[in-house]
């Protein structure tokens, strides 16, 4: 998250007012096809049995974006990645990579055949890239709600819903499209992930 790895000139919670969550984009745990495991439990067993062969040997490899990481996976240079569903699903459908699980509580509408982490054997490993709209702190409430209304209306459009679903993006339920819901989610994500990022000393290069 930006505020955890970059020094910002503003406070993400104090200097911005939430408007609406737009979509969430769960991660997929995917491997190159050469990995012999057919499901997540087999993959975990394979890793344990092949510590000397797994490339890299269970270490984090930093990439400047998801696309280069996927290119290396397709080339066989790495064995497994957590990748955004929006990018991975086309590769999975084309048979170029193997998906083991989606890091969400429910299966994706765009790929219902992929089990959740709960079903696959890593319960509770929920990770999602999410997109939302904020405005500067102190923006008049009427303006915030007018913008929120426009977002809610757009997300209710069947064509928009289908396009986002095809990309593996998930629209939050209507009750989660409010400014208050976004604010609560944002605070919860900071409380959950920032201590992990700081404890692991993860920095932006």
């Amino acid at each position: 998250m930006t505020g955890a790895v970059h020094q910002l000139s503003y406070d993400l919670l104090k200097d911005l007012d939430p408007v609406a969550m737009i979509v969430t984009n769960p991660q997929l745990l995917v491997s190159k096809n050469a990995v012999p495991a057919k499901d997540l439990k087999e993959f975990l067993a394979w890793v344990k049995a092949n510590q000397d062969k797994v490339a890299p040997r269970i270490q984090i490899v930093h990439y400047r974006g998801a696309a280069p990481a996927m290119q290396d996976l397709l080339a066989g240079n790495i064995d497994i990645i957590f990748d955004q569903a929006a990018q991975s699903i086309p590769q999975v459908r084309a048979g170029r990579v193997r998906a083991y699980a989606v890091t969400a509580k429910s299966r994706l509408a765009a790929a219902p055949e992929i089990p959740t982490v709960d079903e696959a054997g890593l319960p509770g490993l929920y990770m999602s890239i999410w997109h939302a709209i904020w405005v500067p702190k102190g923006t008049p409430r009427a303006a915030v709600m007018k913008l929120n209304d426009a977002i809610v209306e757009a997300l209710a459009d069947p064509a928009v819903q289908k396009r986002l679903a095809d990309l593996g993006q998930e629209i939050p339920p209507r009750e989660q499209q409010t400014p208050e819901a976004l604010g609560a989610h944002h605070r919860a994500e900071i409380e959950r992930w920032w201590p992990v990022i700081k404890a692991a000393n993860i920095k932006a290069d």
Side-chain angles (χ1 to χ4, degrees):
M1 299 175 70
T2 299
V5 297
H6 295 285
Q7 290 291 333
L8 302 178
S9 60
Y10 56 92
D11 188 296
L12 289 167
L13 293 176
K14 295 179 180 178
D15 297 332
L16 299 173
D17 282 337
V19 178
M21 176 79 76
I22 300 175
V23 290
T24 61
N25 187 3
Q27 304 284 289
L28 291 183
L29 182 58
V30 296
S31 78
K32 62 184 182 184
N33 284 333
V35 172
K38 302 304 181 186
D39 58 37
L40 185 56
K41 290 181 180 178
E42 285 187 13
F43 175 78
L44 294 175
W46 176 78
V47 168
K48 291 178 182 178
N50 295 273
Q51 289 289 335
D52 294 334
K53 301 177 183 178
V54 178
R57 292 184 61 189
I58 312 305
Q59 65 185 26
I60 296 174
V61 179
H62 298 282
Y63 286 91
R64 293 185 180 277
M70 177 57 74
Q71 290 171 1
D72 262 4
L73 187 72
L74 292 170
N77 297 328
I78 57 176
D79 295 297
I80 192 164
I81 61 173
F82 283 97
D83 191 27
Q84 295 185 51
Q87 174 173 261
S88 289
I89 285 176
Q91 303 295 344
V92 173
R93 286 174 175 163
R96 299 188 184 100
V97 298
R98 181 178 295 116
Y100 294 109
V102 56
T103 60
K105 295 180 180 180
S106 58
R107 295 190 180 201
L108 291 172
E113 72 281 4
I114 302 174
T116 68
V117 284
D118 293 338
E119 297 168 325
L122 285 175
L125 185 62
Y126 307 136
M127 296 187 295
S128 181
I129 306 298
W130 48 276
H131 305 275
I133 298 291
W134 290 263
V135 292
K137 189 73 174 180
T139 298
R141 178 71 177 178
V144 170
M145 293 314 299
K146 185 174 184 179
L147 182 54
N148 178 271
D149 288 344
I151 293 170
V152 170
E153 181 179 355
L155 294 179
D157 185 292
V160 172
Q161 292 178 345
K162 182 179 186 306
R163 177 58 177 158
L164 291 174
D166 288 344
L167 292 172
Q169 305 273 357
E170 299 207 312
I171 297 172
R174 174 64 185 88
E175 66 272 12
Q176 294 299 312
Q177 295 174 17
T178 65
E180 293 74 20
L182 171 57
H185 181 78
H186 193 190
R187 288 190 297 274
E189 287 285 88
I190 287 176
E191 291 171 1
R192 180 183 184 191
W193 291 111
W194 284 24
V196 174
I197 292 170
K198 293 182 184 300
N201 198 30
I202 297 173
K203 300 183 183 298
D205 295 328

Short mmCIF file of all heavy atoms in Angstrom, two decimals, residues 171-202:
data_model
loop_
_atom_site.label_atom_id
_atom_site.label_comp_id
_atom_site.label_asym_id
_atom_site.label_seq_id
_atom_site.Cartn_x
_atom_site.Cartn_y
_atom_site.Cartn_z
N ILE A 171 -17.78 -6.10 -8.27
CA ILE A 171 -18.44 -4.89 -7.78
C ILE A 171 -18.96 -5.17 -6.37
O ILE A 171 -19.60 -6.20 -6.14
CB ILE A 171 -19.61 -4.50 -8.70
CG1 ILE A 171 -19.06 -4.14 -10.10
CG2 ILE A 171 -20.38 -3.32 -8.12
CD1 ILE A 171 -20.15 -3.92 -11.13
N PRO A 172 -18.70 -4.30 -5.42
CA PRO A 172 -19.19 -4.54 -4.07
C PRO A 172 -20.71 -4.46 -4.01
O PRO A 172 -21.34 -3.80 -4.84
CB PRO A 172 -18.55 -3.41 -3.25
CG PRO A 172 -18.27 -2.34 -4.25
CD PRO A 172 -17.93 -3.04 -5.52
N PRO A 173 -21.34 -5.14 -3.04
CA PRO A 173 -22.79 -5.02 -2.87
C PRO A 173 -23.19 -3.56 -2.67
O PRO A 173 -22.39 -2.74 -2.22
CB PRO A 173 -23.06 -5.85 -1.61
CG PRO A 173 -21.88 -6.75 -1.47
CD PRO A 173 -20.72 -6.02 -2.04
N ARG A 174 -24.44 -3.25 -2.98
CA ARG A 174 -24.90 -1.86 -2.92
C ARG A 174 -24.63 -1.23 -1.56
O ARG A 174 -24.22 -0.07 -1.49
CB ARG A 174 -26.41 -1.80 -3.24
CG ARG A 174 -27.03 -0.42 -3.07
CD ARG A 174 -26.44 0.58 -4.04
NE ARG A 174 -26.93 1.94 -3.82
CZ ARG A 174 -26.38 2.81 -2.98
NH1 ARG A 174 -25.31 2.47 -2.25
NH2 ARG A 174 -26.86 4.02 -2.85
N GLU A 175 -24.80 -1.98 -0.48
CA GLU A 175 -24.60 -1.39 0.85
C GLU A 175 -23.13 -1.08 1.14
O GLU A 175 -22.81 -0.34 2.07
CB GLU A 175 -25.16 -2.31 1.93
CG GLU A 175 -24.45 -3.65 2.07
CD GLU A 175 -25.02 -4.73 1.16
OE1 GLU A 175 -25.80 -4.38 0.25
OE2 GLU A 175 -24.68 -5.90 1.37
N GLN A 176 -22.24 -1.64 0.31
CA GLN A 176 -20.81 -1.37 0.48
C GLN A 176 -20.31 -0.30 -0.48
O GLN A 176 -19.10 -0.07 -0.57
CB GLN A 176 -20.02 -2.67 0.25
CG GLN A 176 -20.28 -3.74 1.31
CD GLN A 176 -19.88 -3.27 2.69
OE1 GLN A 176 -18.79 -2.73 2.89
NE2 GLN A 176 -20.76 -3.46 3.67
N GLN A 177 -21.23 0.37 -1.16
CA GLN A 177 -20.85 1.43 -2.10
C GLN A 177 -20.98 2.82 -1.51
O GLN A 177 -20.90 3.81 -2.22
CB GLN A 177 -21.70 1.31 -3.37
CG GLN A 177 -21.47 0.02 -4.16
CD GLN A 177 -22.42 -0.15 -5.33
OE1 GLN A 177 -23.06 0.81 -5.77
NE2 GLN A 177 -22.53 -1.36 -5.83
N THR A 178 -21.18 2.93 -0.21
CA THR A 178 -21.35 4.23 0.45
C THR A 178 -20.01 4.80 0.86
O THR A 178 -19.02 4.07 1.01
CB THR A 178 -22.22 4.08 1.71
OG1 THR A 178 -21.51 3.27 2.66
CG2 THR A 178 -23.56 3.43 1.39
N PRO A 179 -19.94 6.11 1.09
CA PRO A 179 -18.70 6.70 1.61
C PRO A 179 -18.29 6.08 2.94
O PRO A 179 -17.09 5.84 3.18
CB PRO A 179 -19.07 8.18 1.77
CG PRO A 179 -20.15 8.42 0.77
CD PRO A 179 -20.94 7.15 0.76
N GLU A 180 -19.26 5.83 3.80
CA GLU A 180 -18.96 5.26 5.11
C GLU A 180 -18.35 3.86 5.00
O GLU A 180 -17.42 3.51 5.73
CB GLU A 180 -20.22 5.22 5.97
CG GLU A 180 -20.78 6.58 6.36
CD GLU A 180 -21.47 7.31 5.22
OE1 GLU A 180 -21.87 6.65 4.23
OE2 GLU A 180 -21.60 8.55 5.31
N ALA A 181 -18.87 3.06 4.08
CA ALA A 181 -18.35 1.71 3.89
C ALA A 181 -16.92 1.74 3.37
O ALA A 181 -16.06 0.97 3.81
CB ALA A 181 -19.24 0.92 2.94
N LEU A 182 -16.64 2.66 2.43
CA LEU A 182 -15.27 2.80 1.93
C LEU A 182 -14.33 3.23 3.04
O LEU A 182 -13.23 2.69 3.19
CB LEU A 182 -15.22 3.79 0.77
CG LEU A 182 -13.81 4.17 0.30
CD1 LEU A 182 -13.01 2.94 -0.12
CD2 LEU A 182 -13.88 5.20 -0.83
N GLY A 183 -14.76 4.20 3.85
CA GLY A 183 -13.92 4.66 4.95
C GLY A 183 -13.58 3.54 5.91
O GLY A 183 -12.42 3.40 6.34
N ALA A 184 -14.57 2.72 6.24
CA ALA A 184 -14.34 1.61 7.17
C ALA A 184 -13.41 0.57 6.56
O ALA A 184 -12.52 0.04 7.24
CB ALA A 184 -15.68 0.98 7.55
N HIS A 185 -13.59 0.28 5.28
CA HIS A 185 -12.74 -0.70 4.61
C HIS A 185 -11.30 -0.19 4.53
O HIS A 185 -10.35 -0.97 4.76
CB HIS A 185 -13.27 -0.97 3.20
CG HIS A 185 -12.47 -2.00 2.45
ND1 HIS A 185 -12.59 -3.35 2.68
CD2 HIS A 185 -11.52 -1.85 1.48
CE1 HIS A 185 -11.76 -4.00 1.88
NE2 HIS A 185 -11.11 -3.12 1.15
N HIS A 186 -11.14 1.07 4.22
CA HIS A 186 -9.80 1.65 4.11
C HIS A 186 -9.05 1.56 5.44
O HIS A 186 -7.89 1.14 5.50
CB HIS A 186 -9.92 3.11 3.65
CG HIS A 186 -8.63 3.70 3.21
ND1 HIS A 186 -8.48 5.05 2.97
CD2 HIS A 186 -7.41 3.15 2.99
CE1 HIS A 186 -7.23 5.29 2.60
NE2 HIS A 186 -6.57 4.16 2.61
N ARG A 187 -9.73 1.92 6.52
CA ARG A 187 -9.10 1.84 7.84
C ARG A 187 -8.74 0.39 8.19
O ARG A 187 -7.66 0.12 8.72
CB ARG A 187 -10.04 2.42 8.90
CG ARG A 187 -10.17 3.94 8.85
CD ARG A 187 -10.91 4.47 10.06
NE ARG A 187 -12.28 3.98 10.14
CZ ARG A 187 -13.31 4.56 9.52
NH1 ARG A 187 -13.12 5.66 8.80
NH2 ARG A 187 -14.53 4.06 9.63
N ALA A 188 -9.64 -0.53 7.87
CA ALA A 188 -9.39 -1.94 8.18
C ALA A 188 -8.20 -2.48 7.40
O ALA A 188 -7.39 -3.26 7.93
CB ALA A 188 -10.64 -2.77 7.89
N GLU A 189 -8.07 -2.08 6.15
CA GLU A 189 -6.95 -2.54 5.34
C GLU A 189 -5.62 -2.01 5.87
O GLU A 189 -4.61 -2.73 5.90
CB GLU A 189 -7.14 -2.10 3.88
CG GLU A 189 -8.21 -2.87 3.14
CD GLU A 189 -7.76 -4.26 2.73
OE1 GLU A 189 -7.93 -5.20 3.54
OE2 GLU A 189 -7.22 -4.41 1.63
N ILE A 190 -5.61 -0.75 6.29
CA ILE A 190 -4.39 -0.17 6.87
C ILE A 190 -4.01 -0.90 8.14
O ILE A 190 -2.85 -1.25 8.37
CB ILE A 190 -4.59 1.34 7.12
CG1 ILE A 190 -4.58 2.10 5.78
CG2 ILE A 190 -3.51 1.89 8.07
CD1 ILE A 190 -4.86 3.57 5.90
N GLU A 191 -4.99 -1.15 8.98
CA GLU A 191 -4.73 -1.84 10.24
C GLU A 191 -4.26 -3.27 10.02
O GLU A 191 -3.46 -3.80 10.79
CB GLU A 191 -6.00 -1.84 11.11
CG GLU A 191 -6.37 -0.46 11.63
CD GLU A 191 -7.73 -0.42 12.29
OE1 GLU A 191 -8.39 -1.50 12.36
OE2 GLU A 191 -8.16 0.64 12.74
N ARG A 192 -4.71 -3.87 8.95
CA ARG A 192 -4.35 -5.27 8.67
C ARG A 192 -2.98 -5.40 8.02
O ARG A 192 -2.16 -6.23 8.43
CB ARG A 192 -5.40 -5.90 7.77
CG ARG A 192 -5.11 -7.36 7.41
CD ARG A 192 -6.14 -7.91 6.46
NE ARG A 192 -5.92 -9.32 6.20
CZ ARG A 192 -6.54 -10.01 5.24
NH1 ARG A 192 -7.42 -9.40 4.47
NH2 ARG A 192 -6.28 -11.30 5.06
N TRP A 193 -2.73 -4.58 6.99
CA TRP A 193 -1.55 -4.80 6.16
C TRP A 193 -0.33 -3.97 6.53
O TRP A 193 0.80 -4.43 6.32
CB TRP A 193 -1.91 -4.56 4.69
CG TRP A 193 -2.83 -5.60 4.15
CD1 TRP A 193 -4.13 -5.45 3.78
CD2 TRP A 193 -2.53 -6.99 3.92
NE1 TRP A 193 -4.66 -6.62 3.35
CE2 TRP A 193 -3.70 -7.59 3.41
CE3 TRP A 193 -1.38 -7.77 4.10
CZ2 TRP A 193 -3.75 -8.95 3.08
CZ3 TRP A 193 -1.44 -9.11 3.77
CH2 TRP A 193 -2.61 -9.68 3.27
N TRP A 194 -0.50 -2.77 7.04
CA TRP A 194 0.67 -1.94 7.31
C TRP A 194 1.61 -2.59 8.32
O TRP A 194 2.83 -2.56 8.13
CB TRP A 194 0.25 -0.54 7.74
CG TRP A 194 -0.22 0.31 6.60
CD1 TRP A 194 -0.73 -0.13 5.42
CD2 TRP A 194 -0.21 1.73 6.52
NE1 TRP A 194 -1.07 0.94 4.62
CE2 TRP A 194 -0.75 2.09 5.27
CE3 TRP A 194 0.18 2.74 7.40
CZ2 TRP A 194 -0.89 3.41 4.87
CZ3 TRP A 194 0.03 4.06 7.00
CH2 TRP A 194 -0.48 4.39 5.75
N PRO A 195 1.12 -3.17 9.41
CA PRO A 195 2.06 -3.83 10.33
C PRO A 195 2.83 -4.98 9.65
O PRO A 195 4.01 -5.19 9.95
CB PRO A 195 1.14 -4.36 11.44
CG PRO A 195 -0.04 -3.45 11.42
CD PRO A 195 -0.26 -3.16 9.97
N VAL A 196 2.16 -5.71 8.76
CA VAL A 196 2.82 -6.80 8.05
C VAL A 196 3.92 -6.25 7.13
O VAL A 196 5.04 -6.77 7.10
CB VAL A 196 1.80 -7.59 7.22
CG1 VAL A 196 2.49 -8.65 6.36
CG2 VAL A 196 0.76 -8.24 8.12
N ILE A 197 3.60 -5.19 6.41
CA ILE A 197 4.56 -4.59 5.47
C ILE A 197 5.76 -4.04 6.23
O ILE A 197 6.92 -4.25 5.84
CB ILE A 197 3.87 -3.47 4.67
CG1 ILE A 197 2.83 -4.07 3.72
CG2 ILE A 197 4.89 -2.65 3.87
CD1 ILE A 197 1.92 -3.07 3.06
N LYS A 198 5.52 -3.35 7.33
CA LYS A 198 6.61 -2.77 8.09
C LYS A 198 7.45 -3.84 8.80
O LYS A 198 8.68 -3.76 8.86
CB LYS A 198 6.06 -1.76 9.09
CG LYS A 198 5.44 -0.54 8.43
CD LYS A 198 4.93 0.47 9.44
CE LYS A 198 4.25 1.65 8.74
NZ LYS A 198 5.14 2.37 7.82
N ALA A 199 6.80 -4.88 9.30
CA ALA A 199 7.53 -5.96 9.97
C ALA A 199 8.43 -6.70 8.98
O ALA A 199 9.54 -7.14 9.34
CB ALA A 199 6.56 -6.94 10.62
N ALA A 200 7.97 -6.82 7.73
CA ALA A 200 8.77 -7.50 6.69
C ALA A 200 9.77 -6.56 6.04
O ALA A 200 10.54 -6.98 5.17
CB ALA A 200 7.83 -8.09 5.64
N ASN A 201 9.73 -5.27 6.43
CA ASN A 201 10.65 -4.26 5.89
C ASN A 201 10.55 -4.16 4.37
O ASN A 201 11.55 -4.04 3.66
CB ASN A 201 12.10 -4.55 6.30
CG ASN A 201 12.99 -3.33 6.14
OD1 ASN A 201 12.54 -2.19 6.27
ND2 ASN A 201 14.25 -3.57 5.84
N ILE A 202 9.30 -4.22 3.87
CA ILE A 202 9.07 -4.11 2.44
C ILE A 202 9.16 -2.64 2.04
O ILE A 202 8.50 -1.79 2.63
CB ILE A 202 7.69 -4.69 2.07
CG1 ILE A 202 7.65 -6.18 2.40
CG2 ILE A 202 7.38 -4.45 0.59
CD1 ILE A 202 6.29 -6.80 2.23
#
